[in-house]
PDB file of all heavy atoms in Angstrom:
ATOM      1  N   TRP A  83      40.379 -34.847  40.634  1.00 98.00           N
ATOM      2  CA  TRP A  83      40.768 -35.494  39.384  1.00 98.00           C
ATOM      3  C   TRP A  83      41.851 -36.536  39.635  1.00 98.00           C
ATOM      4  O   TRP A  83      42.864 -36.252  40.269  1.00 98.00           O
ATOM      5  CB  TRP A  83      41.272 -34.462  38.373  1.00 98.00           C
ATOM      6  CG  TRP A  83      40.176 -33.735  37.645  1.00 98.00           C
ATOM      7  CD1 TRP A  83      38.967 -33.384  38.138  1.00 98.00           C
ATOM      8  CD2 TRP A  83      40.205 -33.280  36.288  1.00 98.00           C
ATOM      9  NE1 TRP A  83      38.235 -32.732  37.189  1.00 98.00           N
ATOM     10  CE2 TRP A  83      38.973 -32.651  36.035  1.00 98.00           C
ATOM     11  CE3 TRP A  83      41.162 -33.336  35.286  1.00 98.00           C
ATOM     12  CZ2 TRP A  83      38.659 -32.085  34.802  1.00 98.00           C
ATOM     13  CZ3 TRP A  83      40.856 -32.768  34.052  1.00 98.00           C
ATOM     14  CH2 TRP A  83      39.613 -32.152  33.812  1.00 98.00           C
ATOM     15  N   HIS A  87      41.073 -39.180  35.096  1.00 98.00           N
ATOM     16  CA  HIS A  87      40.401 -37.937  34.701  1.00 98.00           C
ATOM     17  C   HIS A  87      41.282 -37.116  33.767  1.00 98.00           C
ATOM     18  O   HIS A  87      40.789 -36.512  32.800  1.00 98.00           O
ATOM     19  CB  HIS A  87      40.066 -37.091  35.936  1.00 98.00           C
ATOM     20  CG  HIS A  87      38.896 -37.577  36.730  1.00 98.00           C
ATOM     21  ND1 HIS A  87      39.007 -38.583  37.657  1.00 98.00           N
ATOM     22  CD2 HIS A  87      37.590 -37.180  36.755  1.00 98.00           C
ATOM     23  CE1 HIS A  87      37.823 -38.786  38.233  1.00 98.00           C
ATOM     24  NE2 HIS A  87      36.947 -37.953  37.690  1.00 98.00           N
ATOM     25  N   GLN A  88      42.571 -37.061  34.057  1.00 98.00           N
ATOM     26  CA  GLN A  88      43.483 -36.252  33.238  1.00 98.00           C
ATOM     27  C   GLN A  88      43.532 -36.774  31.806  1.00 98.00           C
ATOM     28  O   GLN A  88      43.444 -35.997  30.843  1.00 98.00           O
ATOM     29  CB  GLN A  88      44.891 -36.261  33.851  1.00 98.00           C
ATOM     30  CG  GLN A  88      44.988 -35.707  35.260  1.00 98.00           C
ATOM     31  CD  GLN A  88      44.851 -34.192  35.332  1.00 98.00           C
ATOM     32  OE1 GLN A  88      44.876 -33.507  34.312  1.00 98.00           O
ATOM     33  NE2 GLN A  88      44.730 -33.666  36.536  1.00 98.00           N
ATOM     34  N   ALA A  90      41.311 -38.763  30.380  1.00 98.00           N
ATOM     35  CA  ALA A  90      39.969 -38.643  29.817  1.00 98.00           C
ATOM     36  C   ALA A  90      39.723 -37.230  29.298  1.00 98.00           C
ATOM     37  O   ALA A  90      39.097 -37.045  28.240  1.00 98.00           O
ATOM     38  CB  ALA A  90      38.918 -39.016  30.867  1.00 98.00           C
ATOM     39  N   HIS A  91      40.200 -36.234  30.026  1.00 98.00           N
ATOM     40  CA  HIS A  91      40.029 -34.848  29.581  1.00 98.00           C
ATOM     41  C   HIS A  91      40.771 -34.604  28.269  1.00 98.00           C
ATOM     42  O   HIS A  91      40.233 -33.990  27.343  1.00 98.00           O
ATOM     43  CB  HIS A  91      40.546 -33.885  30.652  1.00 98.00           C
ATOM     44  CG  HIS A  91      40.554 -32.460  30.201  1.00 98.00           C
ATOM     45  ND1 HIS A  91      39.405 -31.734  29.983  1.00 98.00           N
ATOM     46  CD2 HIS A  91      41.593 -31.629  29.908  1.00 98.00           C
ATOM     47  CE1 HIS A  91      39.727 -30.508  29.575  1.00 98.00           C
ATOM     48  NE2 HIS A  91      41.051 -30.426  29.518  1.00 98.00           N
ATOM     49  N   LEU A  92      42.007 -35.095  28.184  1.00 98.00           N
ATOM     50  CA  LEU A  92      42.770 -34.923  26.941  1.00 98.00           C
ATOM     51  C   LEU A  92      42.083 -35.645  25.785  1.00 98.00           C
ATOM     52  O   LEU A  92      42.012 -35.113  24.665  1.00 98.00           O
ATOM     53  CB  LEU A  92      44.192 -35.438  27.121  1.00 98.00           C
ATOM     54  CG  LEU A  92      45.078 -34.629  28.067  1.00 98.00           C
ATOM     55  CD1 LEU A  92      46.431 -35.313  28.244  1.00 98.00           C
ATOM     56  CD2 LEU A  92      45.277 -33.199  27.550  1.00 98.00           C
ATOM     57  N   TRP A  94      38.895 -36.334  25.475  1.00 97.00           N
ATOM     58  CA  TRP A  94      37.669 -35.610  25.119  1.00 97.00           C
ATOM     59  C   TRP A  94      37.994 -34.353  24.319  1.00 97.00           C
ATOM     60  O   TRP A  94      37.338 -34.065  23.297  1.00 97.00           O
ATOM     61  CB  TRP A  94      36.905 -35.234  26.399  1.00 97.00           C
ATOM     62  CG  TRP A  94      35.711 -34.378  26.128  1.00 97.00           C
ATOM     63  CD1 TRP A  94      34.467 -34.790  25.738  1.00 97.00           C
ATOM     64  CD2 TRP A  94      35.651 -32.945  26.208  1.00 97.00           C
ATOM     65  NE1 TRP A  94      33.635 -33.708  25.568  1.00 97.00           N
ATOM     66  CE2 TRP A  94      34.336 -32.564  25.855  1.00 97.00           C
ATOM     67  CE3 TRP A  94      36.567 -31.955  26.554  1.00 97.00           C
ATOM     68  CZ2 TRP A  94      33.929 -31.230  25.827  1.00 97.00           C
ATOM     69  CZ3 TRP A  94      36.178 -30.627  26.524  1.00 97.00           C
ATOM     70  CH2 TRP A  94      34.855 -30.271  26.168  1.00 97.00           C
ATOM     71  N   THR A  95      39.009 -33.609  24.725  1.00 97.00           N
ATOM     72  CA  THR A  95      39.344 -32.379  24.022  1.00 97.00           C
ATOM     73  C   THR A  95      39.903 -32.679  22.634  1.00 97.00           C
ATOM     74  O   THR A  95      39.645 -31.934  21.679  1.00 97.00           O
ATOM     75  CB  THR A  95      40.348 -31.539  24.826  1.00 97.00           C
ATOM     76  OG1 THR A  95      39.977 -31.533  26.199  1.00 97.00           O
ATOM     77  CG2 THR A  95      40.375 -30.109  24.323  1.00 97.00           C
ATOM     78  N   GLU A 112      28.283 -29.882  20.106  1.00 93.00           N
ATOM     79  CA  GLU A 112      29.072 -29.972  21.337  1.00 93.00           C
ATOM     80  C   GLU A 112      29.205 -28.597  22.000  1.00 93.00           C
ATOM     81  O   GLU A 112      29.172 -28.485  23.227  1.00 93.00           O
ATOM     82  CB  GLU A 112      30.458 -30.548  21.044  1.00 93.00           C
ATOM     83  CG  GLU A 112      30.456 -32.010  20.674  1.00 93.00           C
ATOM     84  CD  GLU A 112      29.892 -32.876  21.791  1.00 93.00           C
ATOM     85  OE1 GLU A 112      30.342 -32.727  22.945  1.00 93.00           O
ATOM     86  OE2 GLU A 112      28.999 -33.697  21.511  1.00 93.00           O
ATOM     87  N   LYS A 115      26.190 -27.771  24.006  1.00 92.00           N
ATOM     88  CA  LYS A 115      26.201 -28.451  25.304  1.00 92.00           C
ATOM     89  C   LYS A 115      27.089 -27.709  26.293  1.00 92.00           C
ATOM     90  O   LYS A 115      26.754 -27.563  27.476  1.00 92.00           O
ATOM     91  CB  LYS A 115      26.708 -29.886  25.141  1.00 92.00           C
ATOM     92  CG  LYS A 115      25.820 -30.794  24.315  1.00 92.00           C
ATOM     93  CD  LYS A 115      26.460 -32.174  24.188  1.00 92.00           C
ATOM     94  CE  LYS A 115      25.663 -33.082  23.270  1.00 92.00           C
ATOM     95  NZ  LYS A 115      26.333 -34.397  23.094  1.00 92.00           N
ATOM     96  N   ALA A 116      28.226 -27.247  25.816  1.00 91.00           N
ATOM     97  CA  ALA A 116      29.153 -26.524  26.692  1.00 91.00           C
ATOM     98  C   ALA A 116      28.543 -25.213  27.165  1.00 91.00           C
ATOM     99  O   ALA A 116      28.664 -24.847  28.341  1.00 91.00           O
ATOM    100  CB  ALA A 116      30.461 -26.268  25.958  1.00 91.00           C
ATOM    101  N   LEU A 117      27.874 -24.510  26.261  1.00 90.00           N
ATOM    102  CA  LEU A 117      27.261 -23.231  26.622  1.00 90.00           C
ATOM    103  C   LEU A 117      26.113 -23.422  27.612  1.00 90.00           C
ATOM    104  O   LEU A 117      25.819 -22.537  28.413  1.00 90.00           O
ATOM    105  CB  LEU A 117      26.754 -22.524  25.364  1.00 90.00           C
ATOM    106  CG  LEU A 117      27.843 -22.041  24.394  1.00 90.00           C
ATOM    107  CD1 LEU A 117      27.218 -21.487  23.122  1.00 90.00           C
ATOM    108  CD2 LEU A 117      28.728 -20.985  25.056  1.00 90.00           C
ATOM    109  N   ALA A 119      26.113 -25.573  30.021  1.00 92.00           N
ATOM    110  CA  ALA A 119      26.670 -25.881  31.351  1.00 92.00           C
ATOM    111  C   ALA A 119      28.114 -25.400  31.411  1.00 92.00           C
ATOM    112  O   ALA A 119      29.048 -26.199  31.556  1.00 92.00           O
ATOM    113  CB  ALA A 119      26.594 -27.377  31.615  1.00 92.00           C
ATOM    114  N   PRO A 120      28.335 -24.088  31.320  1.00 87.00           N
ATOM    115  CA  PRO A 120      29.699 -23.559  31.186  1.00 87.00           C
ATOM    116  C   PRO A 120      30.606 -23.847  32.377  1.00 87.00           C
ATOM    117  O   PRO A 120      31.824 -23.909  32.220  1.00 87.00           O
ATOM    118  CB  PRO A 120      29.479 -22.050  31.018  1.00 87.00           C
ATOM    119  CG  PRO A 120      28.135 -21.790  31.640  1.00 87.00           C
ATOM    120  CD  PRO A 120      27.328 -23.011  31.343  1.00 87.00           C
ATOM    121  N   ASP A 121      30.031 -24.025  33.551  1.00 85.00           N
ATOM    122  CA  ASP A 121      30.860 -24.236  34.744  1.00 85.00           C
ATOM    123  C   ASP A 121      31.112 -25.706  35.061  1.00 85.00           C
ATOM    124  O   ASP A 121      31.873 -26.013  35.987  1.00 85.00           O
ATOM    125  CB  ASP A 121      30.203 -23.566  35.964  1.00 85.00           C
ATOM    126  CG  ASP A 121      30.104 -22.056  35.810  1.00 85.00           C
ATOM    127  OD1 ASP A 121      31.015 -21.468  35.204  1.00 85.00           O
ATOM    128  OD2 ASP A 121      29.108 -21.480  36.291  1.00 85.00           O
ATOM    129  N   SER A 122      30.481 -26.589  34.312  1.00 91.00           N
ATOM    130  CA  SER A 122      30.583 -27.998  34.687  1.00 91.00           C
ATOM    131  C   SER A 122      30.875 -28.950  33.535  1.00 91.00           C
ATOM    132  O   SER A 122      31.177 -30.116  33.781  1.00 91.00           O
ATOM    133  CB  SER A 122      29.286 -28.452  35.372  1.00 91.00           C
ATOM    134  OG  SER A 122      28.163 -28.279  34.521  1.00 91.00           O
ATOM    135  N   PHE A 123      30.789 -28.471  32.284  1.00 91.00           N
ATOM    136  CA  PHE A 123      30.889 -29.419  31.180  1.00 91.00           C
ATOM    137  C   PHE A 123      32.262 -30.094  31.110  1.00 91.00           C
ATOM    138  O   PHE A 123      32.358 -31.266  30.742  1.00 91.00           O
ATOM    139  CB  PHE A 123      30.522 -28.764  29.849  1.00 91.00           C
ATOM    140  CG  PHE A 123      31.594 -27.895  29.236  1.00 91.00           C
ATOM    141  CD1 PHE A 123      32.422 -28.389  28.247  1.00 91.00           C
ATOM    142  CD2 PHE A 123      31.760 -26.574  29.632  1.00 91.00           C
ATOM    143  CE1 PHE A 123      33.401 -27.598  27.669  1.00 91.00           C
ATOM    144  CE2 PHE A 123      32.730 -25.772  29.059  1.00 91.00           C
ATOM    145  CZ  PHE A 123      33.553 -26.294  28.073  1.00 91.00           C
ATOM    146  N   VAL A 124      33.333 -29.374  31.489  1.00 93.00           N
ATOM    147  CA  VAL A 124      34.670 -29.983  31.460  1.00 93.00           C
ATOM    148  C   VAL A 124      34.757 -31.099  32.495  1.00 93.00           C
ATOM    149  O   VAL A 124      35.223 -32.211  32.206  1.00 93.00           O
ATOM    150  CB  VAL A 124      35.753 -28.917  31.708  1.00 93.00           C
ATOM    151  CG1 VAL A 124      37.108 -29.579  31.954  1.00 93.00           C
ATOM    152  CG2 VAL A 124      35.850 -27.972  30.529  1.00 93.00           C
ATOM    153  N   ASP A 125      34.300 -30.821  33.713  1.00 95.00           N
ATOM    154  CA  ASP A 125      34.347 -31.836  34.765  1.00 95.00           C
ATOM    155  C   ASP A 125      33.459 -33.038  34.431  1.00 95.00           C
ATOM    156  O   ASP A 125      33.817 -34.188  34.697  1.00 95.00           O
ATOM    157  CB  ASP A 125      33.922 -31.237  36.103  1.00 95.00           C
ATOM    158  CG  ASP A 125      34.997 -30.354  36.716  1.00 95.00           C
ATOM    159  OD1 ASP A 125      36.188 -30.623  36.462  1.00 95.00           O
ATOM    160  OD2 ASP A 125      34.658 -29.404  37.428  1.00 95.00           O
ATOM    161  N   MET A 126      32.285 -32.755  33.848  1.00 96.00           N
ATOM    162  CA  MET A 126      31.374 -33.853  33.524  1.00 96.00           C
ATOM    163  C   MET A 126      31.974 -34.776  32.471  1.00 96.00           C
ATOM    164  O   MET A 126      31.870 -36.007  32.573  1.00 96.00           O
ATOM    165  CB  MET A 126      30.027 -33.292  33.042  1.00 96.00           C
ATOM    166  CG  MET A 126      29.190 -32.653  34.144  1.00 96.00           C
ATOM    167  SD  MET A 126      27.491 -32.269  33.613  1.00 96.00           S
ATOM    168  CE  MET A 126      27.787 -31.090  32.291  1.00 96.00           C
ATOM    169  N   ALA A 127      32.614 -34.190  31.459  1.00 96.00           N
ATOM    170  CA  ALA A 127      33.226 -35.010  30.415  1.00 96.00           C
ATOM    171  C   ALA A 127      34.376 -35.842  30.976  1.00 96.00           C
ATOM    172  O   ALA A 127      34.535 -37.023  30.631  1.00 96.00           O
ATOM    173  CB  ALA A 127      33.720 -34.113  29.281  1.00 96.00           C
ATOM    174  N   ALA A 128      35.180 -35.232  31.846  1.00 97.00           N
ATOM    175  CA  ALA A 128      36.289 -35.970  32.456  1.00 97.00           C
ATOM    176  C   ALA A 128      35.777 -37.090  33.347  1.00 97.00           C
ATOM    177  O   ALA A 128      36.339 -38.197  33.349  1.00 97.00           O
ATOM    178  CB  ALA A 128      37.174 -35.015  33.252  1.00 97.00           C
ATOM    179  N   GLU A 129      34.719 -36.827  34.100  1.00 98.00           N
ATOM    180  CA  GLU A 129      34.160 -37.839  34.987  1.00 98.00           C
ATOM    181  C   GLU A 129      33.613 -39.023  34.188  1.00 98.00           C
ATOM    182  O   GLU A 129      33.830 -40.186  34.543  1.00 98.00           O
ATOM    183  CB  GLU A 129      33.052 -37.226  35.836  1.00 98.00           C
ATOM    184  CG  GLU A 129      32.375 -38.191  36.800  1.00 98.00           C
ATOM    185  CD  GLU A 129      33.333 -38.764  37.834  1.00 98.00           C
ATOM    186  OE1 GLU A 129      34.279 -38.044  38.230  1.00 98.00           O
ATOM    187  OE2 GLU A 129      33.134 -39.929  38.246  1.00 98.00           O
ATOM    188  N   GLU A 130      32.931 -38.723  33.100  1.00 97.00           N
ATOM    189  CA  GLU A 130      32.397 -39.806  32.265  1.00 97.00           C
ATOM    190  C   GLU A 130      33.533 -40.648  31.685  1.00 97.00           C
ATOM    191  O   GLU A 130      33.487 -41.881  31.712  1.00 97.00           O
ATOM    192  CB  GLU A 130      31.558 -39.214  31.135  1.00 97.00           C
ATOM    193  CG  GLU A 130      30.952 -40.261  30.216  1.00 97.00           C
ATOM    194  CD  GLU A 130      30.097 -39.648  29.120  1.00 97.00           C
ATOM    195  OE1 GLU A 130      29.913 -38.412  29.104  1.00 97.00           O
ATOM    196  OE2 GLU A 130      29.610 -40.426  28.259  1.00 97.00           O
ATOM    197  N   GLY A 131      34.567 -39.985  31.188  1.00 98.00           N
ATOM    198  CA  GLY A 131      35.682 -40.725  30.611  1.00 98.00           C
ATOM    199  C   GLY A 131      36.463 -41.517  31.638  1.00 98.00           C
ATOM    200  O   GLY A 131      36.960 -42.614  31.347  1.00 98.00           O
ATOM    201  N   ALA A 132      36.566 -40.979  32.853  1.00 98.00           N
ATOM    202  CA  ALA A 132      37.343 -41.645  33.902  1.00 98.00           C
ATOM    203  C   ALA A 132      36.702 -42.946  34.356  1.00 98.00           C
ATOM    204  O   ALA A 132      37.384 -43.793  34.956  1.00 98.00           O
ATOM    205  CB  ALA A 132      37.518 -40.706  35.097  1.00 98.00           C
ATOM    206  N   TRP A 165      35.846 -23.111  17.430  1.00 94.00           N
ATOM    207  CA  TRP A 165      36.310 -23.588  18.733  1.00 94.00           C
ATOM    208  C   TRP A 165      35.456 -22.953  19.807  1.00 94.00           C
ATOM    209  O   TRP A 165      34.476 -22.251  19.518  1.00 94.00           O
ATOM    210  CB  TRP A 165      37.802 -23.271  18.913  1.00 94.00           C
ATOM    211  CG  TRP A 165      38.454 -24.043  20.040  1.00 94.00           C
ATOM    212  CD1 TRP A 165      39.126 -23.540  21.096  1.00 94.00           C
ATOM    213  CD2 TRP A 165      38.473 -25.478  20.201  1.00 94.00           C
ATOM    214  NE1 TRP A 165      39.579 -24.555  21.917  1.00 94.00           N
ATOM    215  CE2 TRP A 165      39.181 -25.759  21.396  1.00 94.00           C
ATOM    216  CE3 TRP A 165      37.949 -26.534  19.467  1.00 94.00           C
ATOM    217  CZ2 TRP A 165      39.379 -27.056  21.864  1.00 94.00           C
ATOM    218  CZ3 TRP A 165      38.142 -27.831  19.932  1.00 94.00           C
ATOM    219  CH2 TRP A 165      38.857 -28.071  21.126  1.00 94.00           C
ATOM    220  N   PHE A 166      35.789 -23.198  21.075  1.00 89.00           N
ATOM    221  CA  PHE A 166      35.014 -22.646  22.187  1.00 89.00           C
ATOM    222  C   PHE A 166      35.244 -21.149  22.323  1.00 89.00           C
ATOM    223  O   PHE A 166      34.493 -20.468  23.012  1.00 89.00           O
ATOM    224  CB  PHE A 166      35.364 -23.381  23.477  1.00 89.00           C
ATOM    225  CG  PHE A 166      35.020 -24.852  23.414  1.00 89.00           C
ATOM    226  CD1 PHE A 166      35.998 -25.809  23.163  1.00 89.00           C
ATOM    227  CD2 PHE A 166      33.718 -25.276  23.572  1.00 89.00           C
ATOM    228  CE1 PHE A 166      35.678 -27.161  23.089  1.00 89.00           C
ATOM    229  CE2 PHE A 166      33.376 -26.625  23.504  1.00 89.00           C
ATOM    230  CZ  PHE A 166      34.366 -27.571  23.254  1.00 89.00           C
ATOM    231  N   GLU A 182      47.916 -28.085  26.518  1.00 97.00           N
ATOM    232  CA  GLU A 182      47.093 -28.878  27.433  1.00 97.00           C
ATOM    233  C   GLU A 182      47.734 -30.224  27.751  1.00 97.00           C
ATOM    234  O   GLU A 182      47.699 -30.687  28.885  1.00 97.00           O
ATOM    235  CB  GLU A 182      45.704 -29.094  26.814  1.00 97.00           C
ATOM    236  CG  GLU A 182      44.711 -28.019  27.159  1.00 97.00           C
ATOM    237  CD  GLU A 182      43.342 -28.605  27.419  1.00 97.00           C
ATOM    238  OE1 GLU A 182      42.715 -29.064  26.447  1.00 97.00           O
ATOM    239  OE2 GLU A 182      42.915 -28.621  28.589  1.00 97.00           O
ATOM    240  N   HIS A 186      48.498 -31.093  31.630  1.00 98.00           N
ATOM    241  CA  HIS A 186      47.863 -32.239  32.277  1.00 98.00           C
ATOM    242  C   HIS A 186      48.858 -33.373  32.479  1.00 98.00           C
ATOM    243  O   HIS A 186      48.742 -34.144  33.431  1.00 98.00           O
ATOM    244  CB  HIS A 186      46.637 -32.680  31.481  1.00 98.00           C
ATOM    245  CG  HIS A 186      45.517 -31.695  31.546  1.00 98.00           C
ATOM    246  ND1 HIS A 186      44.692 -31.575  32.646  1.00 98.00           N
ATOM    247  CD2 HIS A 186      45.101 -30.740  30.678  1.00 98.00           C
ATOM    248  CE1 HIS A 186      43.805 -30.609  32.439  1.00 98.00           C
ATOM    249  NE2 HIS A 186      44.039 -30.083  31.245  1.00 98.00           N
ATOM    250  N   PHE A 293      45.190 -20.590  29.461  1.00 88.00           N
ATOM    251  CA  PHE A 293      44.054 -21.393  29.033  1.00 88.00           C
ATOM    252  C   PHE A 293      42.792 -20.549  28.979  1.00 88.00           C
ATOM    253  O   PHE A 293      42.654 -19.545  29.677  1.00 88.00           O
ATOM    254  CB  PHE A 293      43.841 -22.580  29.980  1.00 88.00           C
ATOM    255  CG  PHE A 293      43.765 -22.200  31.431  1.00 88.00           C
ATOM    256  CD1 PHE A 293      42.566 -21.813  32.017  1.00 88.00           C
ATOM    257  CD2 PHE A 293      44.905 -22.210  32.223  1.00 88.00           C
ATOM    258  CE1 PHE A 293      42.496 -21.452  33.352  1.00 88.00           C
ATOM    259  CE2 PHE A 293      44.852 -21.854  33.559  1.00 88.00           C
ATOM    260  CZ  PHE A 293      43.650 -21.468  34.123  1.00 88.00           C
ATOM    261  N   ALA A 294      41.869 -20.956  28.115  1.00 81.00           N
ATOM    262  CA  ALA A 294      40.613 -20.237  27.953  1.00 81.00           C
ATOM    263  C   ALA A 294      39.694 -20.471  29.141  1.00 81.00           C
ATOM    264  O   ALA A 294      39.882 -21.395  29.924  1.00 81.00           O
ATOM    265  CB  ALA A 294      39.931 -20.690  26.667  1.00 81.00           C
ATOM    266  N   GLY A 295      38.683 -19.619  29.257  1.00 79.00           N
ATOM    267  CA  GLY A 295      37.698 -19.794  30.303  1.00 79.00           C
ATOM    268  C   GLY A 295      37.886 -18.835  31.453  1.00 79.00           C
ATOM    269  O   GLY A 295      38.737 -17.944  31.408  1.00 79.00           O
ATOM    270  N   PRO A 296      37.089 -18.999  32.500  1.00 81.00           N
ATOM    271  CA  PRO A 296      37.153 -18.104  33.656  1.00 81.00           C
ATOM    272  C   PRO A 296      38.465 -18.252  34.409  1.00 81.00           C
ATOM    273  O   PRO A 296      39.200 -19.225  34.197  1.00 81.00           O
ATOM    274  CB  PRO A 296      35.966 -18.553  34.519  1.00 81.00           C
ATOM    275  CG  PRO A 296      35.726 -19.974  34.122  1.00 81.00           C
ATOM    276  CD  PRO A 296      36.062 -20.050  32.669  1.00 81.00           C
ATOM    277  N   GLN A 315      44.827 -27.934  37.147  1.00 36.00           N
ATOM    278  CA  GLN A 315      43.514 -27.908  37.679  1.00 36.00           C
ATOM    279  C   GLN A 315      42.632 -27.829  36.483  1.00 36.00           C
ATOM    280  O   GLN A 315      42.872 -27.081  35.561  1.00 36.00           O
ATOM    281  CB  GLN A 315      43.246 -26.701  38.527  1.00 36.00           C
ATOM    282  CG  GLN A 315      42.080 -26.843  39.375  1.00 36.00           C
ATOM    283  CD  GLN A 315      42.426 -26.782  40.819  1.00 36.00           C
ATOM    284  OE1 GLN A 315      43.362 -26.281  41.200  1.00 36.00           O
ATOM    285  NE2 GLN A 315      41.630 -27.337  41.617  1.00 36.00           N
ATOM    286  N   ALA A 316      42.422 -28.776  36.792  1.00 39.00           N
ATOM    287  CA  ALA A 316      41.558 -28.776  35.649  1.00 39.00           C
ATOM    288  C   ALA A 316      40.899 -27.424  35.506  1.00 39.00           C
ATOM    289  O   ALA A 316      40.318 -26.911  36.430  1.00 39.00           O
ATOM    290  CB  ALA A 316      40.489 -29.848  35.823  1.00 39.00           C
ATOM    291  N   SER A 317      40.969 -26.843  34.329  1.00 37.00           N
ATOM    292  CA  SER A 317      40.333 -25.560  34.104  1.00 37.00           C
ATOM    293  C   SER A 317      39.797 -25.471  32.676  1.00 37.00           C
ATOM    294  O   SER A 317      40.332 -26.007  31.755  1.00 37.00           O
ATOM    295  CB  SER A 317      41.309 -24.418  34.324  1.00 37.00           C
ATOM    296  OG  SER A 317      41.771 -24.336  35.629  1.00 37.00           O
ATOM    297  N   THR A 318      38.791 -24.868  32.563  1.00 32.00           N
ATOM    298  CA  THR A 318      38.341 -24.581  31.224  1.00 32.00           C
ATOM    299  C   THR A 318      38.569 -23.127  30.983  1.00 32.00           C
ATOM    300  O   THR A 318      38.527 -22.490  31.898  1.00 32.00           O
ATOM    301  CB  THR A 318      36.864 -25.040  31.076  1.00 32.00           C
ATOM    302  OG1 THR A 318      36.050 -24.554  32.068  1.00 32.00           O
ATOM    303  CG2 THR A 318      36.872 -26.272  30.389  1.00 32.00           C
TER     304      THR A 318
END
Side-chain angles (χ1 to χ4, degrees):
W83 279 34
H87 284 82
Q88 300 287 349
H91 173 69
L92 292 175
W94 174 83
T95 317
E112 290 299 310
K115 295 178 185 177
L117 292 174
D121 297 326
S122 59
F123 78 98
V124 169
D125 285 330
M126 288 190 298
E129 179 62 32
E130 180 179 356
W165 196 236
F166 298 100
E182 271 219 290
H186 291 283
F293 52 86
Q315 197 117 23
S317 296
T318 51

